[in-house]
Amino acid sequence: MNVTRGFTGRPRVHNPGLPPGQYDAREDWPVLSAEVTPDLSPADWSFRVDGLVEHPHTWDWDAAHALPASAYEGDIHCVTGWSKFGVRFGGVSLDAFLSVARPHGSATHALAYSHTGYTTNLPLADLTGGRAWIVWEYDGAPLPPEHGGPARLVVPHLYFWKSAKWIAGITLLDHDEPGFWERNGYHARGNPWEEQRYSGD
Amino acid sequence: MTRFAVPGRIAVGGQTASRWQTATLTEIRRETPRAATFRLAVPGWAGHLPGQHLMLRLTAPDGYAAQRHYSIASAPDPSGHIELTLDRVPDGEVSGWFHTVARPGDTVEVRGPLSGFFAWPGDRPALLLGAGSGVVPLMSMVRHHRARGLTVPLRMLVSARSPEQLIYASELGPETTPVFTRSAPPGVPVGRMAAAHVAPLLADRPEGGWEAYVCGSNAFAEHASRLLIAAGQPVDRIRIERFG
């Protein structure tokens, strides 16, 4: 251990919800997108599931809203160090989209892509079983554009760069294909509990 | 025409930054009433490109650690030293230590350099827009440009509340136009960065156009990127680093 002279740090709070190396951002919700926030209206938004699926399909705003509503209430964790507790997102479980598209047995991974061209890769297992959502509400109100509105992917058990803003679709693959930050040195999976921040962690 | 897009990758070399290294503080220089520069000796430093950042970690005697991402202020050089310029953030756990406790000889841990997205290799014309301590990674680019005697065009617009709050004021040259939002020297207008600052630079764009780098708060980044787009900068050639 490399102790820093004179450093005491914040008062210790026992918080079993805080992954290693993270701090509680409390009311803050920093915006860290690397690109210009797009001017994207709900009428321009669509979400597609394709690749290794039986029925490639595109949903527009109304069709996506016709699927069964589902909410995530819990915590989110950003690779830059902040975590935010007790957030509420409203939308549709990704399972509802996948049950229409029907992934082939050979599908193992997905590349999620945004209307800006941003991409991020995830194991398919991280997107199924009630662990991923397409959301358009935050705290009961429309998701703000800078936070990914009109709709974003939310995969809260992974670092939040995996939760692509302005989500446009996912392509199912039989292999892992690095996305935007993953090609820039970030970890392929990004599990905050194992502190998988960068390639090699 | 693309309405919105994320810019392409910049190659930064294959080194992974998975290793924590000990860095020894060798010098502290005050820049403004709020900001100071901390020079660190990092013997095993892999080298960086202007615009890259690192992760820095402080550890308490009970093992509690706090880590933050900071932009690198210095240009790449073979000295084995890097510099960080940190604002003193109210209640800042890490910046507070740097501003009140740190002294030369102290050691911290660093990991990096990280991320190629905001890097500028010096290979293309660069238009830099920063506010507050958002000037830090941009200054690494300006210093690199000077140190290497590069001829590729580089211009910087930097916003500060007042001349006293302008980081690196004495080092800025004709490549830089400061914008003062609260108070300015006599004869210099006070106000937010505006189309009048950005449009002339876009009208006078070099061959091949500018690669734009924007760094500051989210509010500044949103404002500056809209100014750039309004002035005709292609959206897929705007790279943004937001505080957080």
Side-chain angles (χ1 to χ4, degrees):
Chain A
M1 194 167 73
N2 203 333
V3 172
T4 314
R5 182 192 62 82
F7 176 69
T8 49
R10 289 186 179 140
R12 312 294 185 265
V13 279
H14 178 66
N15 187 343
L18 200 61
Q22 297 290 108
Y23 63 92
D24 183 353
R26 300 179 185 281
E27 298 310 307
D28 287 346
W29 188 8
V31 173
L32 292 158
S33 358
E35 72 269 56
V36 176
T37 300
D39 179 17
L40 183 69
S41 74
D44 292 332
W45 179 85
S46 61
F47 177 68
R48 179 170 174 79
V49 179
D50 61 15
L52 298 174
V53 297
E54 270 179 49
H55 304 293
H57 194 84
T58 303
W59 289 261
D60 65 11
W61 186 253
D62 291 337
H65 282 67
L67 295 170
S70 177
Y72 170 71
E73 188 162 352
D75 312 330
I76 56 176
H77 312 288
C78 176
V79 68
T80 63
W82 56 266
S83 291
K84 191 168 172 60
F85 292 94
V87 300
R88 288 194 300 141
F89 287 109
V92 169
S93 170
L94 199 61
D95 293 309
F97 296 94
L98 290 170
S99 69
V100 174
R102 298 177 65 92
H104 290 315
S106 58
T108 57
H109 290 80
L111 191 66
Y113 54 96
S114 297
H115 285 274
T116 60
Y118 175 87
T119 56
T120 187
N121 52 303
L122 304 104
L124 182 55
D126 281 317
L127 292 174
T128 55
R131 297 208 292 170
W133 289 261
I134 301 298
V135 308
W136 36 74
E137 278 181 12
Y138 176 72
D139 220 4
L143 183 66
E146 61 192 18
H147 288 300
R152 76 180 295 167
L153 177 65
V154 167
V155 190
H157 67 285
L158 300 179
Y159 284 127
F160 219 46
W161 90 78
K162 296 287 183 180
S163 295
K165 296 178 177 183
W166 316 296
I167 188 75
I170 60 170
T171 298
L172 271 57
L173 306 166
D174 61 5
H175 61 279
D176 202 5
E177 202 171 293
F180 177 80
W181 284 121
E182 294 83 2
R183 285 195 303 273
N184 277 297
Y186 284 66
H187 195 273
R189 179 151 185 257
N191 178 357
W193 297 98
E194 294 177 15
E195 218 175 341
Q196 295 169 337
R197 297 178 196 272
Y198 302 103
S199 168
D201 283 350
Chain B
M1 184 185 147
T2 316
R3 286 174 57 216
F4 30 78
V6 68
R9 177 168 192 267
I10 287 175
V12 289
Q15 78 273 18
T16 58
S18 55
R19 196 163 61 91
W20 285 100
Q21 294 172 268
T22 299
T24 305
L25 187 56
T26 60
E27 186 190 344
I28 302 175
R29 293 198 308 272
R30 179 139 301 281
E31 301 284 357
T32 71
R34 285 183 61 204
T37 291
F38 301 86
R39 187 169 176 83
L40 300 164
V42 193
W45 187 245
H48 62 278
L49 286 179
Q52 285 194 286
H53 61 267
L54 53 69
M55 195 147 73
L56 185 144
R57 179 166 75 185
L58 306 182
T59 305
D62 65 352
Y64 171 87
Q67 55 193 27
R68 299 288 186 274
H69 287 84
Y70 291 119
S71 292
I72 300 165
S74 48
D77 66 40
S79 69
H81 285 73
I82 53 172
E83 292 186 354
L84 308 176
T85 300
L86 309 185
D87 261 339
R88 184 170 181 183
V89 180
D91 300 322
E93 183 178 34
V94 176
S95 70
W97 179 85
F98 270 96
H99 279 271
T100 59
V101 180
R103 63 185 187 219
D106 284 339
T107 59
V108 300
E109 289 176 290
V110 298
R111 183 181 176 187
L114 299 171
S115 181
F117 177 73
F118 201 71
W120 181 63
D123 60 349
R124 63 199 80 186
L127 179 56
L128 317 177
L129 277 67
S133 55
V135 69
V136 173
L138 309 181
M139 197 63 202
S140 174
M141 301 177 192
V142 171
R143 287 167 165 166
H144 182 62
H145 190 264
R146 284 186 197 156
R148 298 291 170 96
L150 301 179
T151 54
V152 62
L154 176 138
R155 298 294 306 273
M156 180 159 76
L157 285 175
V158 58
S159 173
R161 284 165 181 247
S162 65
E164 297 71 41
Q165 299 289 347
L166 179 62
I167 301 174
Y168 313 128
S170 64
E171 242 188 284
L172 303 176
E175 79 290 322
T176 300
T177 305
V179 178
F180 297 108
T181 59
R182 300 285 169 83
S183 65
V188 177
V190 173
R192 211 175 179 201
M193 195 177 288
H197 298 108
V198 177
L201 295 167
L202 267 292
D204 190 25
R205 79 189 71 182
E207 194 183 334
W210 297 108
E211 193 81 16
Y213 292 80
V214 175
C215 187
S217 66
N218 179 54
F220 174 77
E222 291 288 311
H223 175 67
S225 59
R226 284 193 197 103
L227 290 176
L228 283 167
I229 290 166
Q233 174 70 9
V235 74
D236 61 348
R237 296 191 64 189
I238 303 176
R239 298 170 187 272
I240 305 179
E241 183 122 302
R242 306 171 202 243
F243 298 159

